[in-house]
Amino acid sequence: MEERIQSLLNEVNGYAAGDKAALEAFRLKYVSKKGAVGELFEELKQVPVEQKKTVGKVLNQLKQTAEARLQELTELLEASPVSSAEIDLSLPPIPNQTGNLHPLSLTRYRIIEIFERLGFSVADGPEIEDDFHNFSALNFPENHPAREMQDTFFVEKKGAGSDQDMLLRTHTSNVQIRMMENQKPPIRAIMPGRVYRNEAISARAHCFFHQVEGLYVDKNVGFADLKQTIYHFAKEMYGKDSKIRFRPSYFPFTEPSAEIDVSCLICKGVGCNVCKHTGWVEIAGSGMVHPNVLRKCNIDPEEYTGFAFGMGIERVTMLRYQINDLRLFSENDVRFLRQFQNVV
Ligand code: PHE
């Protein structure tokens, strides 16, 4: 009898259930009272008393093993993929879902492409910046109201106007400073990146957005170079029919300064919420780098001059794809994002 128990134990351990029927067969044979194991328990009654203890012990082991194996086989079957018989090979395949670039990335790449062809390199810098690189080096005097122009998120405040205050950069001009500190002119680079301002969120403004700033410092760089560069950019970006205008403005770090407008491509000058019904949309700030800024970076303003400009990628993208709400860029609604699937 012990031999039979042993061989049943081997069977139980080696049993494989490929489907539900095989599993049920296993249960009937090894686990149910009327199965092979059940029969052995019946026979145990006839076993002489002195052997009963040892035989009973191995038989109980067999019973427990069979029950555990049933559990194991059930779990295996549930976890296994459908058997080949259940696969319908005539069904059409599920198409692969390919991702696509975010519209802001599409625009960023396009801007980089245009300026790279003009000989600009691409530079990067920190988003968490100290006050010096975001403000002081850019000729923002301490406690000057110009600092209020850019509602700043402070990360760590060490004292009023302290150069060591840590903040989320309000523009990518910090990268210009870092470049000029570490490099001798000629410098010709653009700096794309994310910036932060504590502004109320609306269709036209957000507390974070993206900028591309440009900087060109060399001997004899003049305002005409700035204008020509921007004209070229606008024609490439918005097409030959786009119009550009420069409006006098003020930035602490440029002198003279100008704001740059492009004719509204959404309403074609008729008036809409994006151009505030003026027919023009501001796309960038610009100007000649202030001598104080060059001096702070150990560049002699008697020898070198430079121009700088900064534009918002969101604004450029809105004009390019006729999007009238800036919040769409950060909501991650796939119905919006998928529309850029085949767009370049
Ligand atoms: N840093 C300015 C801003 O964010 C933009 C700018 C850059 C203006 C360079 C002039 C020159 O508002």
Side-chain angles (χ1 to χ4, degrees), residues 17-18 23 59 68 80 82 94 102-103 106 109 117 122 130 138 175 205 208 222 255 266 270 277 279 318 322 329:
L23 191 68
L59 190 54
S80 67
V82 278
I94 300 164
H102 192 280
L106 290 169
Y109 289 140
R117 274 194 271 138
V122 179
D130 55 44
L138 285 152
V175 191
F208 66 83
E255 184 58 38
I266 295 187
V270 179
H277 304 280
M318 287 167 90
Q322 268 122 76
F329 293 127

Side-chain angles (χ1 to χ4, degrees), residues 144-174:
H144 191 278
R147 290 185 185 227
E148 308 280 308
M149 277 163 61
Q150 308 189 342
D151 300 300
T152 312
F153 285 117
F154 284 94
V155 176
E156 205 183 339
K157 211 149 167 57
K158 298 194 170 141
S162 153
D163 279 354
Q164 285 101 48
D165 280 356
M166 296 305 288
L167 44 85
L168 297 181
R169 67 175 176 194
T170 59
H171 48 190
T172 46
S173 308
N174 66 326

Side-chain angles (χ1 to χ4, degrees), residues 4 6 58 82 97-99 113 163 190 202 206 275 279 296 307 317 325 330 337:
R4 271 168 52 218
Q6 193 54 50
V58 277
V82 278
Q97 288 264 0
T98 51
E113 190 178 73
D163 279 354
I190 54 169
S202 71
H206 212 293
C275 65
K296 285 250 196 227
F307 71 70
T317 311
D325 194 327
S330 49
L337 298 175

